[in-house]
Amino acid sequence: MTLREICETLEVSRRTVQGYEKAGLVTATGRNKYGYLLYDDTAKLRIAKIKFYQQLGFTIKEITVIIDAPNVVLKAALERQVQKLRQEKAEIGELIEKANQMIATLSNETNN
């Protein structure tokens, strides 16, 4: 696949893939006769995995550590990240509840 096809398929920008390359996370597997960068299925899956890790909140630096780590290291990192996300979810839930209370208070004041 060309860089353009990878970007369209995985919904990532060209700059994103270039950033992954700069960080040493992925490399093009060749070039076609027109000079376009090519990526094989392994690179495609790797880019998808990097994107997923970023969606979980891992930084590029953290991803460089875990992407090729043994399963036990990856599992521990994922468990920590899930716990962090659960904490953030709880905090967001509390903020939403406080905002809803404020909305209710404002609605009552407006109606009086």
Side-chain angles (χ1 to χ4, degrees):
M1 297 182 85
T2 64
L3 177 57
R4 180 179 178 181
E5 291 168 331
I6 287 285
C7 293
E8 289 174 0
T9 302
L10 298 177
E11 297 180 350
V12 295
S13 70
R14 175 185 210 93
R15 185 168 280 212
T16 296
V17 176
Q18 290 169 337
Y20 296 166
E21 290 177 337
K22 185 176 180 181
L25 290 167
V26 70
T27 56
T29 51
R31 289 185 181 270
N32 67 11
K33 65 181 180 178
Y34 303 106
Y36 294 117
L37 293 173
L38 297 175
Y39 298 85
D40 62 11
D41 286 339
T42 302
K44 178 183 171 186
L45 290 172
R46 191 168 174 94
I47 293 167
K49 189 183 288 188
I50 295 164
K51 180 182 175 184
F52 172 68
Y53 290 156
Q54 282 189 300
Q55 289 172 324
L56 287 175
F58 287 105
T59 65
I60 291 293
K61 186 175 181 179
E62 291 168 327
I63 294 169
T64 61
V65 172
I66 65 171
I67 190 120
D68 294 316
N71 285 347
V72 65
V73 173
L74 176 59
K75 181 178 181 260
L78 287 169
E79 287 171 342
R80 283 189 306 274
Q81 197 66 21
V82 166
Q83 185 58 37
K84 181 180 171 184
L85 290 170
R86 283 188 179 127
Q87 180 63 38
E88 289 174 11
K89 180 181 176 184
E91 291 169 3
I92 290 170
E94 289 173 17
L95 284 173
I96 290 170
E97 184 58 35
K98 287 179 183 178
N100 282 331
Q101 289 171 2
M102 185 177 280
I103 291 167
T105 300
L106 294 169
S107 294
N108 289 338
E109 289 175 3
T110 304
N111 292 333
N112 292 335

